[in-house]
């Protein structure tokens, strides 16, 4: 990980070298100017005695610093630590990114995590130098800026859409962070020529920052091969899919050429890179949640340099790692959906599973209010699956009952599959259900819960790839990146001859 052993001196050296790999891992603040930046900011390097380092923009803001107008530190990719770690603070940050505080407040966030609000604040503040509310406020300001720059929503509507409780709070926070009013910030963006705003009820352009390299072509190819008819589509140039969001439905569209594959950075300054996509939302209040879920789908907060460094010298994986340093582990926009796909995909081909899932979506999915091309409906919700007659599912009886059991457990809150869930508890809960075995539970953990260290020893594709080695292999040497190692192993198999078990949905 980038910041395993980072102290202030390491941070200063990274900042002095303008090392873009550390953007999002921490921010740098200058006491003489009261401005905080990302490590790769091209501004003149300040003297060491004037520097302070913070784990998050929220902590820098709480200390009285405002965001640099040049490098836009609030738009950097998220810290890879929050994806790798499974502790309370990481789970808290992931839930805040998903918009839980805006929907349920800090008390709801604490309840989900099993703590009192006071306990949660104390534990998060001890590590990050700021509490959950301040983290959420920083998240709101960042989303407000994106909406000001990309839509023509009235400023008052942007405030509500970003999650602020009052116009005054919105104005004060934007001025505090950017030293400009919301109107001035929008006017400056328009003058800078960063693209004219579009109406929020149409397509909202979004730029999603990432750490290079990124093999977006391979990532979208994986998703397109598994696209569920009606829920997902690929028209030859763009991958689109439906999103079930807290206040309504949405559709994200990602052009296949939205990002280029680049080689691992060498330690020098790296030009910020982003994936360009479009969102269509029934309710613009879902903007932040939609962005967070698309980022997880594309694994954009990953640290590919750390993965590359850990796996490049492995005798089994080295050729694949060198050939594809931008490998990501595709995530999920909805935990229930991923669990259903894993169950349905057992012992069938990709083509067969797509057909079954398409029939299930046609039967129980909710029609979209704003269809986009052939994306016309959502994936079935847990509530719809729990209420349906299992005998009506287009599946064998045992798998139909497994789906019903899963949906009921989720509706009754006996199992949670979301960014803030405890991974061990969720996996154990899945294994307790009839019809769900170790492979399925681990696959859900890998993709729906974003665990970077999942290995699937019983998978036929993994077995086939390892059989070519001709000698014993210890997967523990790939920790903590065994999920990436698994995808590299699958990548060595020809698509047309891959075993069915490597093609789970």
């Amino acid at each position: 990980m980038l910041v395993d052993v980072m102290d202030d001196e390491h941070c200063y050296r990274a900042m002095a070298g303008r090392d873009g790999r550390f953007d999002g891992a921490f921010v740098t603040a200058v006491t003489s100017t009261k401005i905080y930046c990302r490590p790769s900011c091209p501004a003149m390097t300040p003297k060491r005695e004037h520097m302070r380092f913070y784990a998050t923009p929220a902590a820098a803001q709480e200390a009285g610093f405002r965001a640099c107008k040049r490098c836009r530190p609030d738009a950097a990719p998220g810290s890879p630590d929050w994806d790798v770690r499974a502790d309370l603070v990481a789970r808290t940050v992931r839930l805040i990114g998903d918009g839980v505080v805006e929907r349920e407040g800090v008390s709801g966030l604490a309840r989900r995590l099993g703590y009192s609000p006071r306990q949660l604040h104390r534990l998060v503040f001890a590590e990050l130098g700021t509490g959950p509310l301040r983290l959420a406020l920083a998240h709101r300001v960042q989303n407000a800026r994106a909406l000001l720059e990309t839509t023509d929503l009235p400023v008052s509507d942007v405030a509500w859409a970003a999650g602020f409780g009052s116009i005054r709070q919105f104005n004060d926070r934007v001025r505090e962070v950017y030293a400009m009013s919301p109107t001035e910030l929008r006017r400056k963006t328009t003058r800078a020529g960063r693209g004219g705003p579009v109406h929020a009820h149409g397509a909202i352009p979004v730029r999603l920052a990432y750490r290079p390299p990124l093999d977006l072509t391979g990532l979208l190819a994986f998703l397109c091969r598994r696209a569920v008819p009606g829920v997902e589509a690929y028209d030859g140039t763009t991958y689109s899919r439906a999103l079930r969001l807290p206040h309504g439905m949405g559709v994200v569209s990602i052009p296949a050429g939205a990002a280029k594959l680049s080689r691992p950075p060498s330690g020098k300054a790296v030009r910020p890179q982003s994936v360009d996509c479009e969102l269509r939302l029934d309710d613009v209040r879902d903007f932040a949640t939609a962005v967070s879920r698309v980022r997880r789908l594309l694994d954009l907060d990953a640290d590919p340099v750390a993965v590359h460094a850990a796996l490049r010298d492995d005798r089994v994986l080295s050729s694949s790692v060198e050939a594809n340093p931008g490998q990501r582990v595709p995530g999920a926009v909805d935990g229930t959906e991923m669990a259903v796909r894993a169950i349905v995909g057992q012992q069938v081909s990709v083509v067969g599973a797509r057909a079954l899932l398409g029939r299930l979506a046609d039967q129980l999915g909710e029609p979209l209010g704003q269809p986009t091309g052939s994306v016309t409906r959502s994936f079935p919700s847990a509530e719809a699956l729990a209420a349906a007659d299992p005998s009506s599912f287009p599946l064998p009886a045992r798998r139909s009952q497994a789906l019903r059991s899963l949906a009921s457990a989720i509706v009754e809150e006996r199992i949670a599959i979301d960014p803030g869930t405890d991974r061990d508890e969720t996996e154990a809960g899945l294994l307790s259900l009839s019809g769900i075995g170790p492979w399925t539970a681990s696959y859900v953990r890998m993709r729906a819960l974003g665990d970077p260290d999942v290995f699937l020893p019983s998978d036929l594709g993994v077995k086939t790839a390892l059989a070519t080695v001709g000698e014993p292999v210890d997967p523990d040497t790939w920790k903590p990146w065994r999920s990436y190692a698994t995808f590299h192993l699958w990548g060595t198999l020809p698509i047309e001859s891959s075993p069915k078990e490597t093609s789970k949905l």
Side-chain angles (χ1 to χ4, degrees):
M1 290 176 282
L2 288 176
V3 290
D4 264 349
V5 292
M6 295 290 286
D7 55 23
D8 283 2
E9 292 306 316
H10 286 94
C11 290
Y12 184 74
R13 286 200 291 272
M15 184 272 299
R18 295 178 173 80
D19 195 334
R21 293 176 299 172
F22 294 90
D23 287 353
F26 65 90
V27 296
T28 67
V30 185
T31 57
S32 56
T33 63
K34 302 302 291 183
I35 291 174
Y36 73 90
C37 304
R38 58 172 80 193
S40 66
C41 183
M44 183 178 66
T45 303
K47 293 181 178 179
R48 172 66 186 86
E49 57 266 28
H50 294 159
M51 298 299 303
R52 301 290 184 272
F53 303 98
Y54 297 94
T56 66
Q61 293 166 21
E62 182 155 304
F65 296 91
R66 66 180 187 273
C68 174
K69 299 176 183 178
R70 187 173 182 180
C71 70
R72 302 180 62 178
D74 54 316
S79 171
D81 267 6
W82 310 136
D83 286 341
V84 174
R85 289 167 45 177
D87 59 86
L88 173 69
V89 174
R91 292 161 57 203
T92 299
V93 172
R94 291 198 292 267
L95 283 176
I96 290 173
D98 197 57
V100 169
V101 173
E102 281 67 37
R103 299 192 296 274
E104 304 174 25
V106 173
S107 59
L109 172 69
R111 185 169 55 254
R112 283 198 183 208
L113 295 165
Y115 288 79
S116 71
R118 179 173 294 184
Q119 287 176 310
L120 183 62
H121 178 87
R122 177 173 54 82
L123 293 168
V124 173
F125 191 92
E127 178 166 345
L128 300 183
T130 191
L133 180 58
R134 192 76 185 199
L135 287 168
L137 286 172
H139 193 243
R140 291 174 200 170
V141 173
Q142 178 183 344
N143 291 317
R145 178 172 189 163
L147 288 168
L148 288 168
E149 292 179 347
T150 59
T151 76
D152 63 1
L153 276 174
V155 171
S156 58
D157 288 352
V158 169
W160 308 128
F164 286 94
S166 72
I167 299 297
R168 179 174 180 177
Q169 183 192 49
F170 171 59
N171 289 332
D172 289 347
R173 288 292 296 152
V174 171
R175 283 187 180 278
E176 178 185 340
V177 175
Y178 300 117
M180 289 183 284
S181 70
T183 302
E184 291 169 336
L185 184 59
R186 171 173 277 175
R187 189 180 302 122
K188 180 177 182 293
T189 300
T190 304
R191 286 201 308 267
R194 283 196 279 265
V198 297
H199 197 276
H201 295 296
I204 304 175
V206 181
R207 307 196 74 182
L208 305 176
Y210 68 88
R211 294 178 186 82
L214 168 67
D215 180 11
L216 184 64
T217 300
L219 182 56
L220 292 183
F222 180 91
L223 297 174
C224 291
R225 287 195 297 271
R226 293 155 176 80
V228 177
V231 177
E232 301 167 277
Y234 179 66
D235 63 7
T237 61
T238 301
Y239 166 77
S240 301
R241 69 149 295 136
L243 304 171
R244 179 183 296 278
L245 301 165
H247 300 100
M249 300 297 176
V251 175
V252 62
S253 298
I254 309 168
K260 303 292 185 182
L261 173 65
S262 57
R263 301 299 299 177
S266 62
K268 298 181 180 180
V270 179
R271 184 172 178 268
Q273 298 190 45
S274 61
V275 173
D276 295 332
C277 62
E278 288 185 343
L279 289 172
R280 293 181 183 272
L281 305 172
D282 288 349
D283 192 320
V284 76
R285 287 179 297 172
D286 286 324
F287 176 80
T289 301
V291 167
S292 175
R293 294 182 183 182
V294 174
R295 292 192 67 84
R296 291 204 302 273
L297 176 69
L298 303 180
D299 194 22
L300 294 185
D301 289 329
D303 179 9
V305 175
V307 177
H308 183 270
L311 302 180
R312 66 187 173 193
D313 295 328
D314 184 87
R315 57 189 174 82
V316 177
L317 303 175
S318 59
S319 59
S320 176
V321 172
E322 287 299 331
N324 186 9
Q327 174 73 63
R328 302 294 170 111
V329 175
V333 297
D334 182 88
T336 298
E337 175 185 327
M338 183 50 59
V340 170
R341 294 168 74 119
I343 292 171
V344 172
Q346 295 177 104
Q347 307 301 321
V348 297
S349 67
V350 168
V351 174
R354 285 183 62 191
L356 292 173
L357 288 163
R359 290 169 59 189
L360 196 64
D362 189 59
Q363 176 183 339
L364 297 173
E366 183 178 341
L368 300 183
Q370 301 183 59
T372 301
S374 56
V375 178
T376 59
R377 60 185 57 250
S378 68
F379 196 86
S381 65
E383 290 76 10
L385 289 165
D389 179 0
S391 65
S392 68
F393 297 166
L395 300 167
R398 190 164 184 267
R399 254 177 285 170
S400 294
Q401 192 54 52
L403 284 190
R404 177 68 179 275
S405 299
L406 169 71
S408 297
I410 292 172
V411 170
E412 295 166 8
E413 298 184 352
R414 290 184 282 115
I415 291 178
I417 311 176
D418 63 42
T421 192
D422 182 287
R423 291 165 177 166
D424 291 336
E425 289 182 5
T426 297
E427 184 172 17
L430 290 171
L431 289 171
S432 71
L433 300 177
S434 177
I436 296 182
W439 193 101
T440 301
S442 294
Y443 190 74
V444 171
R445 179 172 181 148
M446 175 194 288
R447 294 196 56 198
L449 304 184
D451 190 339
D453 194 35
V454 174
F455 187 65
L456 305 172
S458 64
D459 181 84
L460 289 186
V462 170
K463 290 181 177 180
T464 300
L466 292 179
T468 64
V469 178
E471 56 184 288
V473 174
D474 181 8
D476 285 349
T477 61
W478 301 331
K479 291 182 176 181
W481 308 116
R482 289 182 295 175
S483 297
Y484 294 87
T486 298
F487 268 80
H488 276 295
L489 289 173
W490 284 343
T492 64
L493 302 171
I495 294 175
E496 62 275 9
S497 60
S498 298
K500 294 174 183 178
E501 286 72 6
T502 70
S503 304
K504 298 292 186 184
L505 296 168

